[in-house]
Amino acid sequence: MWWVGDVMGVLIVSPVLLTWIARPRLAFRGLRLLEIVLLFGSLAAVTQLLFFSVFPLTYAVFPFAVWAALRFGQRETATAMLLIAISAVWGLIHDVGPFSFVDRELSLIMLVSFLGVMAVSALVLAVAAHERQVAELALQRAHSELESRVQARTAELASVNATLQRANRARDTCDSDERVAP
């Protein structure tokens, strides 16, 4: 079972390190900053309640992982997963919480299964949400580029149309002068 620690390191710790190294600063201001503080504050309270008591509601932390994934991104989701993992492991070490069984091997298997499902699900959702945001931005850019091209073409067509109308009027004037002349 020694490899379990390696797997959990890859699933839980590596995403936190990689995402925080890539973007070390928080860019949240105002209500967004308040929301992230609310997210992690309530997540800390819920993990304390769930992993340090006998309540069998371990998956009640799942909405917080979804909240982090959809509203904030990969870095915050990975950090939320780390907070959940630390709380769950801490509860197991102190023989409290839903993963505290008489059989230590069963406790470890249940904990790893829970953390694996949580981490993979939340991180995949965070990546999908990020890809959707990137696609929406690309769509908005393409839309505004298309709008500017349509405006430019409309102006060009209006100019050509005005030139043709002047040419038609000049031709009509010449034709009417020729009919009057004989």
Side-chain angles (χ1 to χ4, degrees):
M1 297 293 282
W2 59 270
W3 56 270
V4 171
D6 294 340
V7 170
M8 287 298 99
V10 169
L11 282 176
I12 304 293
V13 178
S14 295
V16 173
L17 294 175
L18 294 173
T19 56
W20 277 97
I21 287 171
R23 286 186 349 197
R25 292 190 179 170
L26 286 177
F28 303 122
R29 305 260 187 272
L31 290 177
R32 193 92 161 137
L33 181 62
L34 179 64
E35 183 181 4
I36 199 161
V37 168
L38 182 64
L39 168 66
F40 281 100
S42 57
L43 180 60
V46 167
T47 56
Q48 288 290 328
L49 178 70
L50 296 177
F51 298 124
F52 294 95
S53 68
V54 292
F55 294 117
L57 302 171
T58 53
Y59 286 96
V61 295
F62 210 90
F64 295 95
V66 171
W67 182 7
L70 293 178
R71 293 284 296 152
F72 294 103
Q74 299 164 359
R75 179 182 60 186
E76 291 75 16
T77 304
T79 305
M81 291 301 96
L82 181 64
L83 178 63
I84 292 168
I86 288 171
S87 297
V89 169
W90 194 267
L92 179 63
I93 289 171
H94 291 92
D95 286 326
V96 293
F99 302 112
S100 180
F101 300 110
V102 175
D103 183 7
R104 278 297 205 195
E105 191 171 318
L106 179 61
S107 295
L108 183 61
I109 290 170
M110 296 300 289
L111 174 67
V112 168
S113 299
F114 169 76
L115 292 177
V117 167
M118 286 292 297
V120 169
S121 299
L123 292 173
V124 166
L125 182 60
V127 168
H130 175 72
E131 286 179 357
R132 180 177 181 204
Q133 289 173 345
V134 168
E136 285 176 352
L137 287 174
L139 183 62
Q140 287 174 352
R141 265 189 249 115
H143 180 266
S144 55
E145 180 183 322
L146 183 61
E147 282 291 324
S148 65
R149 289 174 69 188
V150 165
Q151 288 176 354
R153 290 292 265 175
T154 301
E156 181 183 331
L157 287 173
S159 172
V160 169
N161 191 26
T163 303
L164 285 173
Q165 286 177 351
R166 281 192 301 273
N168 281 340
R169 271 184 261 145
R171 191 194 73 208
D172 288 343
T173 305
C174 285
D175 285 345
S176 64
D177 288 344
E178 286 178 9
R179 280 188 229 136
V180 174

